[in-house]
Amino acid sequence: MLQNFTICVNAVIPSAIYLLLGILLRYFGVAKEDEVRKFTHLTFIVLYPFMMFDNIYGKNIGENMNVKLVVYCVLMLAFVIALTWWIVCKIESEDRNRSSMIQAIFRSNIVLMGLPIGINLFGKGNVTAVAVVVLFIVPIYNVVSVVLFERFRKGKANVGKMVRGVLTNPIIVGAIVALVVMALGIELPEVILQPVVTLADSTTAIAMVLLGASLNMSGLKGERRRVAICVIGKLLVVPAIGIGGAVLLGFTGVELVAVVLMVATPTALASFAMATSMGGNGEIASNAVVFSSIASCFTLPIWLFALKTMGLF
């Protein structure tokens, strides 16, 4: 049992260290807010595509495309969004608060934290199932978030703009390029593949340090109750629903862990930018990212440990 706990904790410790380093850089004034914002954007558009490409290129997608897993993740996400939407609207009256809270609960940081933790658990090249889930889930996150905020600010979602946004998302671009290259039977020479892999490997450390430096520890102010609801919903309630359903359906191994990394990772950093730019409550969104990111360093190993102890991966 101790060995299982050590394995699960060790999978999360590197991400926690990167996060802590970023927090310290922010605290001592080494990383300024505007600089962090610029480098975060640069990392997203430059490095994320290489990370997705590296996790898909050279893998047999046919063998790793578990249709049952993809369908479950999509349907489960739809259920979580609907349930969260209904509950939040029952307990919160202000629209700008509702939109930020709903997004904070359903939108996970599966790319930034999920993929690296999966690699720590199973080894590089063995987490294609997680990358496949990312390929289907990230577009849903983006589209639903746009519809959500437009709905609560009484606007109208632009379908064409949403489609362009999904297709130009750096994560999706990296996946599409990898799929096209493999479909055409192109075998990249080592001289090209090596820098691709190097850039992909650097993504996690850089992105996590920047995430830590992005965390605004200014305090909860008047949003303590709302942020607590978001964090509890994100790290405890949603994982209980998603993981429980996956276990009942018989998912094990890397497929089960893919579900865990989808539902039990903290609120995505992108949710803050989305909330502030589309009329949501930025204070709620920011603090949800801060406190869910910190708390997940404790809750995520517990979820993994429970499943590991049950012999499910």
Side-chain angles (χ1 to χ4, degrees):
M1 184 174 292
L2 179 60
Q3 182 180 8
N4 290 340
F5 184 72
T6 301
I7 291 172
C8 296
V9 170
N10 287 345
V12 179
I13 283 178
S15 295
I17 291 174
Y18 297 142
L19 191 68
L20 177 61
L21 177 58
I23 292 174
L24 292 175
L25 291 175
R26 172 71 174 257
Y27 178 79
F28 288 109
V30 177
K32 306 297 184 182
E33 186 174 350
D34 58 335
E35 296 171 340
V36 172
R37 190 181 300 111
K38 291 177 182 177
F39 279 109
T40 298
H41 178 67
L42 186 65
T43 300
F44 182 64
I45 63 174
V46 175
L47 296 183
Y48 275 44
F50 287 103
M51 182 171 67
M52 276 302 292
F53 182 95
D54 185 49
N55 277 281
I56 292 178
Y57 175 74
K59 315 301 188 298
N60 191 326
I61 298 298
E63 291 182 0
N64 289 281
M65 179 64 76
N66 186 327
V67 177
K68 180 182 176 182
L69 173 65
V70 171
V71 171
Y72 172 73
C73 288
V74 171
L75 292 179
M76 185 268 298
L77 177 58
F79 173 76
V80 166
I81 292 170
L83 180 64
T84 304
W85 197 309
W86 179 73
I87 292 176
V88 169
C89 286
K90 288 289 184 181
I91 63 178
E92 176 57 49
S93 58
E94 292 188 34
D95 284 347
R96 66 188 300 266
N97 296 339
R98 286 173 169 177
S99 55
S100 294
M101 290 174 69
I102 294 169
Q103 184 190 219
I105 294 172
F106 81 76
R107 188 167 188 169
S108 295
N109 207 351
I110 184 174
V111 178
L112 191 55
M113 288 192 71
L115 275 172
I117 291 173
I119 292 172
N120 290 339
L121 285 172
F122 296 98
K124 188 175 180 181
N126 299 316
V127 291
T128 308
V130 181
V132 169
V133 170
V134 170
L135 180 61
F136 283 89
I137 294 303
V138 167
I140 297 177
Y141 283 160
N142 292 334
V143 170
V144 172
S145 293
V146 171
V147 173
L148 171 71
F149 283 103
E150 291 293 1
R151 162 66 180 79
F152 283 107
R153 72 175 182 179
K154 306 301 188 292
K156 184 177 181 181
N158 186 314
V159 177
K161 187 175 181 180
M162 283 194 299
V163 172
R164 286 195 300 273
V166 169
L167 293 179
T168 56
N169 184 301
I171 297 169
I172 304 303
V173 169
I176 291 175
V177 171
L179 293 173
V180 170
V181 169
M182 290 192 297
L184 296 176
I186 300 174
E187 189 169 335
L188 296 181
E190 186 63 26
V191 68
I192 293 179
L193 192 58
Q194 184 176 347
V196 169
V197 173
T198 300
L199 288 169
D201 290 342
S202 69
T203 304
T204 298
I206 294 174
M208 286 300 297
V209 169
L210 289 170
L211 173 59
S214 301
L215 301 184
N216 185 353
M217 308 295 285
S218 59
L220 293 175
K221 296 184 179 178
E223 308 295 352
R224 189 185 304 273
R225 170 182 163 274
R226 297 184 181 98
V227 172
I229 291 172
C230 292
V231 174
I232 292 171
K234 182 72 207 70
L235 300 181
L236 297 179
V237 180
V238 172
I241 295 172
I243 297 171
V247 171
L248 289 175
L249 289 174
F251 288 110
T252 59
V254 67
E255 287 80 16
L256 177 58
V257 172
V259 175
V260 175
L261 298 178
M262 173 186 161
V263 298
T265 44
T267 301
L269 181 61
S271 63
F272 170 65
M274 181 74 76
T276 53
S277 64
M278 296 192 68
N281 188 320
E283 191 71 23
I284 292 176
S286 173
N287 280 299
V289 173
V290 171
F291 290 98
S292 66
S293 295
I294 295 172
S296 68
C297 294
F298 301 94
T299 58
L300 190 50
I302 293 174
W303 285 113
L304 292 171
F305 171 65
L307 298 176
K308 185 71 173 175
T309 301
M310 295 167 64
L312 295 176
F313 75 90

